[in-house]
Amino acid sequence: MRKPLIAILNSSTFGKHFAAHMSTLEAFADIKHITVPSDIDGDALAEHLKDADGIIASVTPKIPRATLEKCKNLVLLVRHGIGCDNVDLEAATELGIMVSRVKGIIEKEAVAEYAISLLMAGSRKLVSGSRAVRDSAWSTRAGMIGMEIKGKTIGIIGLGNIGSRSSEILAKGFGANVVASDPYIAKDRFAEFGAKEVSLDELIKTSNAILFHCPLTDETRRMLGKAQFDSMQKDAVLVNTCRGELVDEDALFEALQNGTLGCYATDVVEGEPIDGNHRLAKLENTIITPHLGGYSWESLHGMGQTCVDDAVAVFQNNGIAGELANPEVLQTKRRVWASQ
């Protein structure tokens, strides 16, 4: 009887801090750790994954149709995270491959708190202040005057699991005037989270700070470009804990250079990982962290447990993964694990 082969792709944390997650998988599956460049092409990636029955995938690399078509044994692909924008879901569905992900509630507190941390760092010059001390430039503090959050208009794009929590923290904790835009949230729920519903255009024009809390889709890709940056409040802070591709980077760079945008505090960058030579990293009014939003002990445990639970459900119980990103696969000729 053959064991399923589960490939752990580009994850630096799964199984590292919670040994029980790995031991549970090893009890019924063979494990293969795979690390590849984030920009690897689909055919080359397929050479690493073609024998896998299951994949636990990080946020990179992209897993396109070209890869999935060559993974003839693949039954389950689990994203070790919330977003599935690096997976060709249409191809996976056509091929009968289940794609599951972590429920938003697992990362809710971690990412919301991190977004608020980035907002505070950007609005109160925390990084510049710390750097000044390290550079023996204490006296430069006079140029580091920041903005208080209380009473300011803070815009939230996306009021789902994480966005709603950020709204609660800002409105009920800081006393901010929270406005939000999300066409997929019932109108009567905005007030529940302490937010006022506004159009995206109004949010962009009136907010002293803006937080992204939406997924990357065809609808949201490059949703902030030159026209949007030009219409923002002067010295606004933009916080991004979602995906770098939500903004037009050329327009963002121009807005930061000319002072249209006060600060870009981001945990994500298009084409990540990046290094200090990236043009955004060279600007004084940017704060960039290496995709740490979900990196709390509580969140990482929940993420790992989700991956384990889905693998157990599919490979031991011949069942269905919990949070399917492509539920349509259940209406197709869904692949089923067969040990022989």
Side-chain angles (χ1 to χ4, degrees):
M1 181 177 294
R2 184 174 73 87
K3 288 184 176 182
L5 173 62
I6 298 178
I8 300 174
L9 176 64
N10 273 22
S11 177
S12 59
T13 58
F14 178 82
K16 180 178 180 180
H17 303 291
F18 304 100
H21 292 165
M22 191 64 72
S23 62
T24 298
L25 292 185
E26 290 173 340
F28 67 87
D30 292 323
I31 308 299
K32 182 179 182 181
H33 292 267
I34 298 171
T35 301
V36 297
S38 61
D39 60 352
I40 190 172
D41 68 61
D43 290 329
L45 180 60
E47 289 301 308
H48 294 276
L49 298 174
K50 61 184 179 182
D51 296 326
D53 301 289
I55 298 172
I56 295 175
S58 186
V59 68
T60 65
K62 293 187 181 299
I63 306 175
R65 180 182 292 272
T67 300
L68 296 173
E69 287 180 340
K70 293 182 180 180
C71 295
K72 303 299 184 181
N73 299 330
L74 188 60
V75 174
L76 171 69
L77 189 156
V78 187
R79 264 287 290 116
H80 189 233
I82 296 175
C84 288
D85 48 276
N86 64 319
V87 181
D88 189 329
L89 293 177
E90 181 179 350
T93 301
E94 291 177 9
L95 294 166
I97 302 167
M98 285 184 287
V99 179
S100 66
R101 59 185 168 193
V102 174
K103 291 182 179 180
I105 195 170
I106 298 295
E107 295 187 21
K108 178 178 179 178
E109 297 296 335
V111 179
E113 290 179 9
Y114 199 83
I116 304 302
S117 298
L118 285 174
L119 172 60
M120 293 303 299
S123 63
R124 294 304 304 272
K125 320 294 184 185
L126 299 186
V127 176
S128 298
S130 176
R131 187 184 302 120
V133 175
R134 294 174 185 274
D135 292 343
S136 301
W138 187 288
S139 62
T140 61
R141 72 191 186 101
M144 299 177 191
I145 301 171
M147 174 187 75
E148 295 181 5
I149 303 302
K150 183 178 181 180
K152 299 301 188 297
T153 297
I154 310 296
I156 297 179
I157 303 175
L159 206 63
N161 269 305
I162 299 170
S164 63
R165 181 61 181 138
S166 286
S167 181
E168 289 175 338
I169 295 170
L170 288 166
K172 302 173 183 179
F174 284 84
N177 170 36
V178 178
V179 295
S181 176
D182 191 327
Y184 302 101
I185 297 293
K187 293 182 180 297
D188 60 352
R189 300 211 69 197
F190 283 77
E192 178 184 340
F193 305 125
K196 174 187 175 184
E197 183 186 17
V198 298
S199 69
L200 181 60
D201 284 344
E202 183 178 348
L203 183 152
I204 291 169
K205 291 176 181 177
T206 61
S207 297
N208 301 108
I210 297 172
L211 280 63
F212 273 124
H213 281 309
C214 59
L216 177 63
T217 65
D218 290 340
E219 182 182 7
T220 61
R221 189 181 300 272
R222 313 276 191 269
M223 68 188 305
L224 294 191
K226 180 173 172 38
Q228 289 74 32
F229 287 120
D230 286 346
S231 69
M232 284 184 183
Q233 293 283 307
K234 183 174 175 55
D235 294 327
V237 176
L238 178 61
V239 175
N240 191 353
T241 53
C242 300
R243 291 291 185 268
E245 293 86 343
L246 293 173
V247 298
D248 179 324
E249 191 180 290
D250 288 336
L252 169 68
F253 185 75
E254 180 183 346
L256 287 165
Q257 274 196 316
N258 64 27
T260 303
L261 181 64
C263 177
Y264 184 49
T266 186
D267 190 39
V268 290
V269 184
E270 183 171 358
E272 61 183 65
I274 65 167
D275 59 26
N277 294 314
H278 192 281
R279 60 177 175 172
L280 290 178
K282 293 180 179 296
L283 296 175
E284 286 297 316
N285 52 347
T286 60
I287 298 170
I288 306 175
T289 55
H291 213 136
L292 297 176
Y295 273 41
S296 70
W297 292 113
E298 297 84 356
S299 176
L300 283 176
H301 182 272
M303 291 164 62
Q305 192 62 53
T306 295
C307 296
V308 171
D309 289 346
D310 284 352
V312 169
V314 171
F315 295 113
Q316 284 200 297
N317 300 330
N318 293 317
I320 297 169
E323 184 78 358
L324 288 177
N326 61 338
E328 302 84 1
V329 75
L330 301 181
Q331 310 304 319
T332 69
K333 292 183 179 179
R334 174 175 61 88
R335 293 181 183 177
V336 178
W337 160 246
S339 60
Q340 296 181 350

